[in-house]
Amino acid sequence: MVLMFEEAYKQQPTNEELGAQTFFANVRASHWKSAQQANDPATPTAMKTILYKLAHRIVMSSPTPSYQSNDRFHLHLSILQELELYDDAHKLLDSDTGRAICSTSLSCNEIRRNIWRKRGMILDEGKLATRRISEKHDRNWLEFLSVLDATFSYLSSSDGSSDSRVESSEHVKETKEFLNRIAEEDGAKDRSAALALLELEKRAHDHGISNDSNRLVILMQDYFTRVGHKACCFEDLKPYLALKEDELSKWTSFLQAVPRSFKTPEELQRLINSHKLLRYNLTQSELSIEAETSRATLYIEQYLEGLKLGSNLPTTELQYADDLALLATNTLVTLWRLTSNEEYLFNAVTLLEFALTKSKQSFQARLALIRLYRLLGAPSLAVDHYRAMGIKQVQNDTLSHFILSRASTFSLASTGDLTLATDCLESTQIYLSNSQETADFVVRAFQGERYSQIPEFIVFEERLDNSLQRDIVKMEHLRMRLTHEQITSDVIDMELIELKFIFDRTHHDNRDFDIMSDYQPKVSSDIFSQTNLLEKNESHGWLRAFLKVYIRAFQQGSDLDDSVEEKLLIGDRPKQSFGAESRPPLKQRLAEAFTEEEVAELTRDELLFVQFARSLAEWLQPYHDYSRPPPNVVLAEAAKQTELKTGYPLKGVDLAALTRSSSPTKKDEEPPAVTEPPQQVAQFFEGEVRENFAEALNWLDSPPSSSQSTLWRDAKE
Amino acid sequence: MSVLRPFKATDMFKFNNINLDIWTETYGIGFYLNYLSRWPDLCSVQEAPSGRMMGYVIGKAEGSNTEWHGHVTAITVAPEYRRLGLARKMMGLLEMVSDEIYKGFFVDLYVRCANSVAIDMYEGMGYSVYRRVRGYYGNIGLGKGGRDEEDAFDMRKPMSRDPRRRSVRSNGRDMVVSAHDVS
């Protein structure tokens, strides 16, 4: 298809329609190199500039001016930005039309901001922002940031002399008055100015031009008083919580004075915010078993009390007190980390399951339960909660790691239960949709002249197609399948080819690790890291280590070698990824020792396994290479099979020539000498592996006594 | 304290805290890309200073002659960021773009008849019920059931091109049509 259009276009280069169709065909086939050469990282920089200059000339010579449509204007500006022609861009923007467009188009305004910043027009931006805030009632946080950047811009350009500091203080004072006025006007309707005052104070503090060390805390207290009854208060104040000792003690006393009893949801929310803020600043010494236990008890007591406020809420709503259950969960996890006593996890699980009966829609509770159930070795309960969240479409890429991370650990495929294996397959549907659909939308955007969207679509398609999670799941799925399916030569060959493609890909990590609400103190790690199965979170290193192991294993089990593979896969190979030419050959990369990154992501058992697999492969390599049939024999066989199955000869393989060639067969060579297996191989099943196995068997015979939820009982009484 | 910016394709990797909520539907990739490839200026995001997404709106422009209008396909705010006026700001932008760029006569949206909180909010923004649409929504299997859950109100707000307010009516709640009659 692509070739056809390219040929036709070459014949009639002035035919715009054909040109457009060629472009579309390339786009559909994801041949970004041809279609969007300028942004392909493989294009050398000089070439990039030439392409952009060309684009610039085309835009300038176009009969219709670019400000006819917002997207054309945006495109024109993007080209100028890439070429760093900021003055030209500014001229475009400084016209009446330019200004009008920027006031109605968010994306054009975005690019205007970037261009002004590159031109160093920080003060102008600040003035413009000030006008927008006061005259147009614009409360976009970006405008406030512009005002603040302008206020402190004097410092960065100056030499830090005392004069410039005085001048800066003046500007700070001006800005403070301005923001105070806006905050007064807005009152309860909008908190942007109040938050901006905090940011102003913090920056003044950091630059050393603040004269009042108490002011920051006073502002924080003021903000809490204004906004403390809204859930967002904690997140808003987080950037300002790194306080010095005396500031911190004032802040802590203020928070501790928040009343513990509540009659309305607002009062409850205020209490919850105070808990979150206090917890964030706890010191290491305050995280003792006694202290955390009393905190957990308190949170649970208040949670049960808080449920009463929400007894009339419809089942579709979250409970006002839900966050207290989550706070308790965070505390119980800390206790578990301190003591290694799983009883705390059982308590947390009980609490969360109870919370769900009162607040069916709390996905935060479900996320926490999934993490905890996996830690406790109850994967099917985790899967139930995952399913209850109704995760679909692109969320399969960002959230499936919750149940599919190291899923082969829990897979019962060897006994015929394919639940997890099926889950793996289901989660991959999204990648197929992406391959089929996204390119079409790029075409549509181009046709509709929505140029601003095209780079984004391409980035999106690329990120999803080369998703790290996609290939991690693929690896886990493979490991599950191998315990269940017959390992035929077809399976080996197919998997080998696929794994090699994956090995050379540049992966994008789209996984969402921030979705879980984290209420752990800043001195501790976050709740997600704390609840990692086996203390590890697999990433690029893990994938590479396992790919190395399995690729080598499949290579040794396969009759395919590089030359055979090339002949059999004409036209089916995906494009070489960026940098392919500069890399050492695959064989060398596979034989490399495991890197630090890879080792860091493996558990102890995994590390032992991959090292064993590597030694085994090294030891057996010569024997496999010897016994593998020569390429011409393999190709001849493949050609024969193809003809039998399809009735057509295998393309690109000259069967007659193959059978004629009389290369010395390997059988004429001497077989490699038999050597003793290396220590790592011979001793693998002794030592640690045997111990672990024995321990697991023991556990089956006498599991630890089932835990009582003592904490839970105490709280209820 | 929120940034209002255009919705972009890669936001699909970041919207889980909004979409895991029961009331927010996660559509296929094609759904979002369709809107972005045709009406990107009617799709915007509210983002917290930390970079977290707080809410978004997806809209389009459609209709012929005097029915040419802006339409809110989806508007949603994450539970932890509700009651901060974010929806109002996103609606304001959508209305401005519908009015000044698309030159629509009005903006309309569909809302569940049972969702009194949302209906009040839209009325506060100048919308009024134009008609009731039988069976517009599928029943999501929650709540006590009844017609209110499945029926929708088509609410409208006239734009500057409709100074005589021909696109709205006073007795909208009494006008009932079936889902087949609307797009």
Side-chain angles (χ1 to χ4, degrees):
Chain A
M1 187 66 167
V2 173
L3 289 168
M4 182 183 88
F5 274 121
E6 280 186 336
E7 273 310 305
Y9 186 55
K10 277 197 200 114
Q11 308 247 332
Q12 299 182 45
T14 50
N15 185 336
E16 207 185 282
E17 173 64 27
L18 266 182
Q21 287 301 331
T22 313
F23 175 64
F24 293 156
N26 273 316
V27 162
R28 283 204 181 88
S30 295
H31 288 177
W32 303 129
K33 206 170 172 70
S34 313
Q36 224 233 172
Q37 272 183 303
N39 262 337
D40 190 329
T43 313
T45 335
M47 181 67 162
K48 233 196 233 193
T49 323
I50 294 175
L51 287 165
Y52 272 112
K53 285 213 172 96
L54 188 62
H56 185 210
R57 210 158 350 123
I58 295 176
V59 169
M60 293 300 279
S61 60
S62 161
T64 47
S66 64
Y67 48 76
Q68 282 277 316
S69 97
N70 288 359
D71 269 86
R72 281 204 205 168
F73 195 63
H74 187 273
L75 180 63
H76 192 175
L77 288 170
S78 317
I79 296 171
L80 291 172
Q81 194 179 250
E82 286 293 330
L83 291 171
E84 297 182 0
L85 294 171
Y86 300 122
D87 290 337
D88 286 2
H90 182 60
K91 237 185 288 175
L92 265 185
L93 288 163
D94 210 22
S95 61
D96 281 337
T97 340
R99 275 192 281 263
I101 293 183
C102 287
S103 65
T104 56
S105 165
L106 277 183
S107 50
C108 288
N109 201 27
E110 212 172 35
I111 214 175
R112 176 198 64 76
R113 253 189 260 269
N114 288 338
I115 288 171
W116 279 27
R117 201 179 310 132
K118 291 263 166 57
R119 284 189 94 223
M121 294 168 62
I122 304 188
L123 291 175
D124 297 272
E125 181 64 37
K127 283 205 194 80
L128 182 65
T130 313
R131 267 212 313 274
R132 284 186 74 94
I133 294 174
S134 43
E135 290 165 30
K136 298 262 180 58
H137 290 284
D138 195 330
R139 294 292 178 263
N140 195 338
W141 183 244
L142 289 174
E143 306 295 347
F144 288 92
L145 287 177
S146 299
V147 170
L148 292 169
D149 288 340
T151 311
F152 291 98
S153 63
Y154 298 98
L155 277 176
S156 42
S157 52
S158 72
D159 47 10
S161 66
S162 57
D163 279 342
S164 65
R165 289 163 77 81
V166 165
E167 199 187 350
S168 298
S169 305
E170 281 303 309
H171 289 291
V172 170
K173 226 174 81 173
E174 268 170 35
T175 308
K176 205 184 296 190
E177 280 165 16
F178 169 67
L179 290 173
N180 267 320
R181 183 167 58 84
I182 303 290
E184 282 284 320
E185 271 173 31
D186 287 348
K189 279 205 305 262
D190 194 296
R191 276 72 171 181
S192 315
L195 195 63
L197 278 165
L198 261 169
E199 182 63 26
L200 176 71
E201 189 57 38
K202 175 163 186 284
R203 290 194 196 190
H205 223 153
D206 293 343
H207 283 118
I209 49 176
S210 163
N211 35 23
D212 185 358
S213 56
N214 280 321
R215 189 161 158 75
L216 188 62
V217 178
I218 293 173
L219 280 173
M220 286 166 69
Q221 290 171 351
D222 188 53
Y223 192 83
F224 185 89
T225 311
R226 282 200 216 218
V227 187
H229 60 297
K230 300 278 186 194
C232 63
C233 182
F234 172 57
E235 198 186 305
D236 285 343
L237 286 175
K238 242 175 148 171
Y240 310 106
L241 291 176
L243 298 165
K244 292 203 278 281
E245 234 184 280
D246 47 327
E247 291 173 328
L248 183 58
S249 55
K250 282 201 197 79
W251 174 240
T252 307
S253 331
F254 169 77
L255 288 174
Q256 281 167 342
V258 171
R260 291 206 165 174
S261 64
F262 43 83
K263 290 201 208 60
T264 65
E266 284 79 23
E267 285 171 10
L268 176 55
Q269 185 62 254
R270 218 176 261 286
L271 179 61
I272 291 174
N273 277 327
S274 74
H275 282 317
K276 290 180 185 175
L277 289 162
L278 281 166
R279 187 167 178 76
Y280 188 76
N281 271 328
L282 289 175
T283 62
Q284 200 60 56
S285 55
E286 286 173 298
L287 293 175
S288 65
I289 299 176
E290 299 76 35
E292 284 288 80
T293 308
S294 63
R295 279 181 206 114
T297 316
L298 177 66
Y299 297 145
I300 296 176
E301 276 168 5
Q302 291 177 341
Y303 167 69
L304 292 171
E305 197 50 42
L307 280 179
K308 297 181 189 156
L309 282 180
S311 51
N312 289 325
L313 284 171
T315 55
T316 51
E317 297 304 303
L318 297 171
Q319 284 291 334
Y320 304 116
D322 274 346
D323 276 356
L324 282 165
L326 294 175
L327 272 163
T329 304
N330 274 248
T331 316
L332 289 166
V333 168
T334 304
L335 283 165
W336 167 65
R337 307 266 314 166
L338 286 173
T339 61
S340 301
N341 184 351
E342 280 186 351
E343 194 166 321
Y344 293 110
L345 294 185
F346 282 110
N347 286 332
V349 155
T350 315
L351 173 63
L352 289 167
E353 288 285 4
F354 174 75
L356 274 173
T357 63
K358 300 293 179 184
S359 184
K360 276 217 282 281
Q361 307 310 328
S362 172
F363 67 82
Q364 287 292 347
R366 289 195 201 274
L367 288 171
L369 278 166
I370 291 170
R371 301 292 284 176
L372 298 179
Y373 277 136
R374 276 169 46 108
L375 287 173
L376 292 169
S380 51
L381 293 173
V383 170
D384 286 344
H385 281 290
Y386 182 82
R387 294 231 174 87
M389 291 201 286
I391 283 166
K392 38 168 106 83
Q393 306 293 345
V394 69
Q395 291 175 316
N396 278 299
D397 187 47
T398 47
L399 296 175
S400 65
H401 66 89
F402 273 93
I403 48 154
L404 296 182
S405 154
R406 290 194 159 87
S408 57
T409 317
F410 297 120
S411 162
L412 298 171
S414 53
T415 56
D417 178 351
L418 292 174
T419 320
L420 276 173
T422 315
D423 285 329
C424 287
L425 273 178
E426 273 172 22
S427 82
T428 59
Q429 288 306 310
I430 188 67
Y431 307 112
L432 295 171
S433 313
N434 183 35
S435 315
Q436 287 160 352
E437 296 180 358
T438 309
D440 280 340
F441 287 105
V442 174
V443 169
R444 223 184 281 193
F446 188 79
Q447 283 171 327
E449 298 201 19
R450 296 299 195 174
Y451 307 116
S452 56
Q453 298 302 306
I454 296 176
E456 276 300 317
F457 284 18
I458 294 176
V459 167
F460 174 77
E461 200 262 351
E462 157 87 14
R463 274 181 68 176
L464 193 50
D465 200 41
N466 296 304
S467 155
L468 178 65
Q469 176 64 358
R470 177 184 198 177
D471 291 332
I472 288 178
V473 169
K474 156 99 199 146
M475 179 53 71
E476 285 294 293
H477 186 225
L478 176 65
R479 295 171 76 202
M480 287 184 225
R481 283 174 57 206
L482 292 177
T483 61
H484 170 80
E485 281 177 22
Q486 246 201 333
I487 307 177
T488 63
S489 62
D490 279 344
V491 168
I492 294 177
D493 291 345
M494 249 175 38
E495 291 301 337
L496 174 60
I497 293 169
E498 253 204 78
L499 291 182
K500 279 159 71 170
F501 288 165
I502 295 174
F503 193 63
D504 285 338
R505 257 188 183 141
T506 310
H507 289 101
H508 296 279
D509 193 352
N510 306 321
R511 295 174 295 176
D512 188 348
F513 297 132
D514 297 329
I515 185 66
M516 265 182 88
S517 305
D518 174 43
Y519 302 127
Q520 295 297 36
K522 72 174 186 290
V523 294
S524 128
S525 24
D526 63 287
I527 183 104
F528 188 84
S529 309
Q530 291 179 326
T531 51
N532 274 331
L533 186 64
L534 304 167
E535 305 271 319
K536 300 275 181 188
N537 194 20
E538 75 282 10
S539 186
H540 302 269
W542 180 93
L543 183 60
R544 283 188 73 78
F546 274 89
L547 280 171
K548 282 183 191 168
V549 162
Y550 281 90
I551 291 175
R552 280 191 96 176
F554 283 135
Q555 268 180 340
Q556 293 185 344
S558 167
D559 287 344
L560 297 180
D561 72 2
D562 282 339
S563 62
V564 172
E565 195 186 306
E566 227 175 88
K567 289 218 160 64
L568 289 178
L569 285 182
I570 301 168
D572 275 347
R573 288 192 144 181
K575 65 176 199 279
Q576 284 290 1
S577 59
F578 178 48
E581 309 77 42
S582 55
R583 278 199 295 254
L586 181 64
K587 199 167 172 170
Q588 194 181 322
R589 284 182 285 138
L590 287 176
E592 274 167 7
F594 298 109
T595 67
E596 252 180 65
E597 183 200 8
E598 290 161 14
V599 170
E601 289 175 22
L602 298 171
T603 63
R604 175 84 190 137
D605 290 333
E606 285 171 346
L607 183 60
L608 287 174
F609 168 68
V610 301
Q611 282 169 341
F612 159 73
R614 183 163 176 270
S615 294
L616 185 66
E618 286 287 330
W619 177 50
L620 293 176
Q621 187 78 40
Y623 308 115
H624 282 294
D625 286 343
Y626 176 76
S627 53
R628 186 175 299 117
N632 53 332
V633 171
V634 178
L635 279 172
E637 184 59 30
K640 200 167 74 178
Q641 289 300 325
T642 310
E643 187 122 27
L644 278 173
K645 281 195 210 153
T646 67
Y648 293 109
L650 187 57
K651 265 207 300 259
V653 173
D654 187 347
L655 194 50
L658 280 176
T659 45
R660 260 200 318 266
S661 77
S662 52
S663 54
T665 60
K666 291 228 177 99
K667 295 292 181 284
D668 299 337
E669 289 172 7
E670 280 291 306
V674 174
T675 57
E676 282 298 301
Q679 254 257 340
Q680 214 159 22
V681 171
Q683 296 297 310
F684 179 69
F685 292 100
E686 310 304 319
E688 244 177 279
V689 174
R690 183 176 283 257
E691 277 170 28
N692 288 344
F693 193 63
E695 194 185 319
L697 284 177
N698 275 338
W699 198 95
L700 278 174
D701 290 333
S702 52
S705 61
S706 59
S707 312
Q708 314 255 19
S709 314
T710 50
L711 207 61
W712 181 231
R713 260 198 345 233
D714 289 345
K716 278 194 101 162
E717 271 151 26
Chain B
M1 51 300 204
S2 61
V3 171
L4 186 57
R5 61 161 179 80
F7 191 111
K8 40 192 211 262
T10 46
D11 285 334
M12 285 193 257
F13 292 124
K14 295 170 58 167
F15 63 15
N16 290 319
N17 63 317
I18 303 171
N19 281 35
L20 281 174
D21 176 60
I22 185 71
W23 292 113
T24 306
E25 185 63 39
T26 299
Y27 300 100
I29 298 174
F31 174 86
Y32 300 101
L33 296 183
N34 181 40
Y35 277 83
L36 290 174
S37 65
R38 294 163 76 177
W39 310 280
D41 38 10
L42 291 171
C43 303
S44 65
V45 165
Q46 288 278 30
E47 190 179 86
S50 62
R52 211 147 174 256
M53 279 176 73
M54 304 163 94
Y56 59 83
V57 65
I58 311 271
K60 60 178 167 176
E62 59 180 1
S64 39
N65 305 318
T66 51
E67 286 285 304
W68 174 243
H69 66 279
H71 176 76
V72 182
T73 301
I75 180 163
T76 170
V77 176
E80 65 266 30
Y81 297 118
R82 294 203 178 130
R83 316 234 58 170
L84 293 177
L86 295 179
R88 181 181 284 267
K89 290 200 191 117
M90 290 193 282
M91 290 295 291
L93 177 68
L94 187 142
E95 286 164 17
M96 188 268 284
V97 174
S98 297
D99 193 15
E100 296 187 31
I101 297 185
Y102 289 91
K103 314 269 187 240
F105 287 92
F106 58 91
V107 170
D108 88 338
L109 55 93
Y110 290 106
V111 59
R112 277 184 161 80
C113 297
N115 195 348
S116 46
V117 171
I119 295 170
D120 287 342
M121 178 181 82
Y122 294 127
E123 282 179 341
M125 294 182 203
Y127 289 81
S128 58
V129 176
Y130 185 74
R131 56 193 173 170
R132 184 182 183 118
V133 183
R134 279 252 136 86
Y136 184 81
Y137 288 108
N139 197 323
I140 55 173
L142 305 164
K144 297 180 177 65
R147 296 244 58 131
D148 269 3
E149 265 203 11
E150 293 168 357
D151 293 357
F153 282 141
D154 175 355
M155 295 183 76
R156 297 189 177 188
K157 176 175 176 178
M159 294 286 105
S160 64
R161 214 173 158 193
D162 177 22
R164 309 274 213 92
R165 300 180 63 90
R166 284 188 214 272
S167 53
V168 293
R169 49 163 78 116
S170 52
N171 58 342
R173 284 170 200 250
D174 303 328
M175 302 293 288
V176 184
V177 299
S178 91
H180 304 292
D181 299 333
V182 309
S183 59

